Amino acid sequence: MPIIVNLDVMMAKRKISLNELSGKVGLTLSNLSILKTGKAKAIRFSTLEAICKVLECQPADILEYKVS
């Protein structure tokens, strides 16, 4: 898939755990883990907004498009 999810990179930069992010965003650990590993097929804008708000970043910091 040409869309790469860099959630783990941003979490490391902000020194935040999956458990902490899950609590602040309001997502289950399993759903957040699916997103973090790049196995998600879609993401709601409201979820992306909540993650960006907590991590103080832009959507492009989390999602990257790779040309194959």
Side-chain angles (χ1 to χ4, degrees):
M1 180 184 266
I3 300 212
I4 310 299
V5 180
N6 294 317
L7 182 58
D8 54 342
V9 174
M10 284 308 299
M11 288 173 59
K13 285 182 180 178
R14 301 296 189 249
K15 296 182 172 84
I16 189 169
S17 70
L18 197 62
N19 284 331
E20 188 178 351
L21 183 61
S22 172
K24 289 183 176 183
V25 172
L27 282 177
T28 63
L29 276 175
S30 59
N31 283 339
L32 203 51
S33 181
I34 289 168
L35 181 60
K36 184 179 148 191
T37 58
K39 295 179 181 175
K41 299 290 182 199
I43 182 171
R44 289 189 171 125
F45 283 137
S46 59
T47 301
L48 185 59
E49 179 184 2
I51 291 171
C52 287
K53 189 178 287 188
V54 170
L55 295 178
E56 297 177 348
C57 66
Q58 294 295 312
D61 296 327
I62 297 171
L63 301 174
E64 177 183 354
Y65 178 72
K66 288 269 184 172
V67 179
S68 45

